[in-house]
Amino acid sequence: MPAYTPPIEEIDFLLRHVLDFDAQMAALPNFSEINSDLAVDILSEAGKFCAEVLEPLNAVGDKHGCTLLDGSVTTPPGMANAYRAFAAAGWTTVSADIDYGGQGLSRVIQILFDEMLSSANLSFGLFAGLTRGAVEAIGHHGSDALKAAYLPKMISGEWSGAMALTEAGAGTDLGLLTTKALPRGDGTYGITGTKIFISSGDHDFGGNVIHLVLARLPDAPQGVKGISLFLVPKFLLNSEGECGERNRFTVASLEHKMGIHAQPTCMMSYEGATGWLLGEAGRGLNAMFTMMNAERLFVGIQGLGVAEIAGQKARRYAEDRLQGRSSDGTRAPVAIVEHADVRRMLLEGKSFVEAGRALAVWVALQMDIAASHPEPVIRKKANGFVELLTPVVKAAFTDLGFEATVTAQQVFGGHGYIVEWGMEQYVRDARITQIYEGTNGVQALDLLSRKLTADGGAIARDFYALVRADLKAAASVDAAASLAEKLSVALEKLEALTDGVNRRSGDLSQLSGYATDILRHFAHVSLGWMWVKIAANGAMSDDACWDGKAQTARFFMDRMLPKASILADIADSALKADVMDAAA
């Protein structure tokens, strides 16, 4: 199989010609010295690490998996050394706070790096992604003492992080969790309980593993308002701030999973483990969602990354595999890429991945604006856009990413089902992205019941106004005019759906069965918007990356967008009649 090729040229094209990266960075005090040249240089080096160090370990990790012996986890051969090299090269510090040793770079650089990590080795990328999420939660909600004690070494990669939410009887409904936290009177708490599905719960990389654990104080009320968040390290710190005595929790077992075999997914047993309150008592979910929202965007990027590498390998296979006759019957055998249905499969993945990457960069820019813009009103609006798009990126990118990965496997025919070709691993690995960090059905309900109705629908309407303005501007560009016209019809449907949802915001129970349809349509309108931007801006550049994009953009508008628009029509019918009641 051909090696992974980091999409650096595509990234360069997006930053320079489509999303106005340099001007966006120049307007942000924290990032004003960052430009496309710097971003591409950094990502080029990151891509080399992913391609040369991490991808060769992907199949190895899948074959060997993780093992548990005497309460300690051993990761597959090469994984620990790769992580130490990853940290030594500074890749754990990219977007982290400079006050604690981070580089403080743009979220755009981080998200594009996350895509390449996910393409090269999904299991490996989780170690870094979960640590970054834990760092953000501690940074936002920890005391100065906790931040000083833990953040520098977590950011440097010497220590890692994990989030411990799920229990056997409390998955999505965290209000049912039973793990206890007993105050000890000295500022610490004894944490007792069992958690399942804990990614990166333990490993053999060395250093500490910092668990963020949801638990209940003795006087806590039932439900989510009674949950608090605690920092629980694998090793307690000695007087020098280094790893000392082992804390009282263990890995009870490792989960045997469909995919991501190189990622230790643990059942954790906390047996009076020492922990520290993170944030306010009873507001644990508020603190944890700082981590979870970042993780949900990260998981969406995982879906994108796996679709990218699966598509790369499918395209190369289709160019090399000889089978069948040419369409005019004059040549045989021909490369299967000449067959119309194979091209259709390749274009389905390509039309998602290229627009998805552009949308991911746009969301990351909004994160940078929300963090750094000097105007509070602009920061607030950007943060609203991030919140609106978070469930869309998580659910749609992982659904579409999985579908694209399965389709890429199909290009290989029988070879795609054979382990040696690697495609079946991508399918197995990609499947979890639709499930963890909140299943995609939960994301759709979040969009329907919270995000579309936020501020009476004002945030959604502001987003649609941005799209509408770009469609109007694109109408005067030959390469984009027809695309803008087709997307305008889909946007009108989305606006009408949003208005209907807000009219019924007091009772959306009858519409909840259509939440996934609404999210899929929202995602396709957003991806179509990116294709309009790519066409309107890219066509006027002399960048070689523009070649072929006009065809891909037309394919998306003609073949992919109409499918989602049908779902919008179905959801609209539910707004006009109690279809779910009638079906029951």
Side-chain angles (χ1 to χ4, degrees):
M1 284 288 285
Y4 167 60
T5 301
I8 301 301
E9 291 181 359
E10 293 287 335
I11 289 168
D12 186 279
F13 172 76
L14 282 178
L15 298 184
R16 294 185 195 280
H17 303 300
V18 179
L19 294 168
D20 204 15
F21 179 73
D22 288 3
Q24 297 272 17
M25 292 293 102
L28 304 178
N30 292 358
F31 307 118
S32 59
E33 296 182 1
I34 298 172
N35 56 31
S36 298
D37 289 337
L38 177 63
V40 170
D41 284 347
I42 292 169
L43 290 167
S44 295
E45 291 304 311
K48 289 178 184 177
F49 189 93
C50 291
E52 296 172 5
V53 178
L54 299 184
E55 194 202 3
L57 294 175
N58 196 42
V60 174
D62 184 64
K63 178 181 178 180
H64 287 270
C66 298
T67 57
L68 177 65
L69 181 65
D70 297 329
S72 296
V73 170
T74 300
T75 56
M79 188 74 82
N81 286 339
Y83 195 84
R84 286 190 279 268
F86 181 81
W91 295 122
T92 58
T93 69
V94 171
S95 60
D97 190 336
I98 59 175
D99 290 340
Y100 296 97
Q103 297 183 57
L105 295 173
S106 163
R107 285 279 187 168
V108 172
I109 297 173
Q110 183 67 66
I111 273 183
L112 290 168
F113 185 19
D114 288 340
E115 181 204 325
M116 293 190 291
L117 281 172
S118 302
S119 289
N121 196 315
L122 188 65
S123 292
F124 183 95
L126 273 165
F127 289 105
L130 286 165
T131 300
R132 189 168 65 250
V135 163
E136 291 183 8
I138 296 167
H140 278 88
H141 302 284
S143 65
D144 289 343
L146 287 178
K147 287 189 281 190
Y150 290 95
L151 290 185
K153 291 184 179 179
M154 294 178 74
I155 288 170
S156 72
E158 184 176 345
W159 297 350
S160 65
M163 56 194 295
L165 288 74
T166 307
E167 299 179 8
T172 300
D173 189 355
L174 292 171
L176 299 176
L177 67 81
T178 61
T179 298
K180 303 294 185 184
L182 182 66
R184 290 175 170 166
D186 61 355
T188 68
Y189 297 78
I191 310 298
T192 301
T194 301
K195 300 286 184 178
I196 62 171
F197 303 160
I198 310 307
S199 300
S200 302
D202 192 42
H203 51 68
D204 54 350
F205 299 171
N208 219 337
V209 184
I210 314 305
H211 287 219
L212 301 190
V213 183
L214 288 178
R216 292 185 184 280
L217 292 165
D219 57 350
Q222 293 301 306
V224 296
K225 293 184 178 179
I227 300 172
S228 300
L229 182 64
F230 298 87
L231 185 155
V232 186
K234 177 179 177 179
F235 295 101
L236 302 177
L237 305 189
N238 60 26
S239 58
E240 286 77 39
E242 302 294 337
C243 294
E245 178 186 353
R246 176 74 184 255
N247 207 348
R248 296 182 62 183
F249 67 83
T250 59
V251 181
S253 66
L254 289 176
E255 306 291 354
H256 300 281
K257 312 183 295 290
M258 174 180 176
I260 56 169
H261 293 160
Q263 171 58 221
T265 306
C266 305
M267 175 186 288
M268 303 300 307
S269 178
Y270 301 92
E271 302 156 351
T274 299
W276 286 262
L277 182 66
L278 198 63
E280 300 176 38
R283 290 181 58 80
L285 282 189
N286 178 62
M288 182 60 84
F289 270 108
T290 301
M291 183 178 190
M292 286 188 67
N293 284 332
E295 293 303 308
R296 285 172 174 173
L297 290 169
F298 172 59
V299 170
I301 301 306
Q302 289 181 321
L304 180 69
V306 179
E308 164 66 27
I309 193 167
Q312 279 190 22
K313 300 204 172 186
R315 285 192 297 276
R316 292 171 191 168
Y317 179 84
E319 290 165 356
D320 293 339
R321 173 71 166 171
L322 301 178
Q323 189 168 311
R325 302 186 69 83
S326 61
S327 59
D328 61 7
T330 62
R331 293 174 292 114
V334 296
I336 63 172
V337 74
E338 290 195 33
H339 301 317
D341 194 55
V342 172
R343 291 198 302 275
R344 185 267 308 168
M345 289 190 283
L346 294 174
L347 280 168
E348 284 185 2
K350 181 179 173 67
S351 67
F352 156 60
V353 167
E354 293 189 8
R357 181 179 296 119
L359 185 60
V361 171
W362 185 85
V363 172
L365 282 169
Q366 303 312 303
M367 297 174 79
D368 287 338
I369 292 168
S372 181
H373 200 281
E375 295 294 332
V377 173
I378 294 176
R379 290 200 304 271
K380 180 179 179 181
K381 180 176 283 192
N383 188 64
F385 290 151
V386 173
E387 292 184 352
L388 176 67
L389 270 293
T390 292
V392 177
V393 170
K394 195 284 179 185
F397 280 31
T398 57
D399 280 346
L400 295 171
F402 180 73
E403 292 166 18
T405 303
V406 171
T407 302
Q409 181 191 34
Q410 187 75 14
V411 171
F412 284 73
H415 291 298
Y417 202 68
I418 303 302
V419 170
E420 286 77 8
W421 288 85
M423 300 305 291
E424 57 86 36
Q425 182 189 346
Y426 296 137
V427 172
R428 288 186 289 103
D429 284 354
R431 185 65 181 91
I432 186 58
T433 65
Q434 298 169 286
I435 298 170
Y436 60 15
E437 299 304 337
T439 64
N440 287 356
V442 169
Q443 304 304 315
L445 289 172
D446 181 40
L447 177 69
L448 174 71
S449 61
R450 295 188 181 94
K451 304 306 169 59
L452 291 181
T453 60
D455 261 354
I459 296 171
R461 287 192 296 272
D462 285 345
F463 177 70
Y464 303 152
L466 279 180
V467 179
R468 181 72 65 190
D470 280 347
L471 298 185
K472 184 177 179 180
S476 61
V477 181
D478 289 344
S482 64
L483 305 177
E485 183 178 355
K486 291 173 181 177
L487 189 63
S488 291
V489 176
L491 177 59
E492 287 172 4
K493 290 183 178 183
L494 182 57
E495 289 171 323
L497 273 175
T498 303
D499 289 343
V501 166
N502 276 279
R503 284 195 300 271
R504 292 181 55 172
S505 60
D507 180 15
L508 292 171
S509 58
Q510 299 302 324
L511 196 60
S512 62
Y514 298 88
T516 295
D517 300 330
I518 293 170
L519 186 144
R520 179 65 68 103
H521 183 62
F522 190 113
H524 275 72
V525 169
S526 302
L527 293 169
W529 175 40
M530 290 297 114
W531 274 120
V532 170
K533 290 177 77 71
I534 289 169
N537 295 285
M540 294 185 288
S541 75
D542 58 358
D543 197 302
C545 272
W546 168 245
D547 294 343
K549 291 196 188 304
Q551 177 191 11
T552 309
R554 288 195 300 271
F555 178 90
F556 181 87
M557 293 299 183
D558 292 343
R559 299 287 295 272
M560 307 304 287
L561 184 65
K563 296 176 184 178
S565 291
I566 291 171
L567 298 177
D569 293 338
I570 294 169
D572 185 60
S573 70
L575 280 168
K576 297 171 181 174
D578 288 338
V579 177
M580 295 295 282
D581 274 348

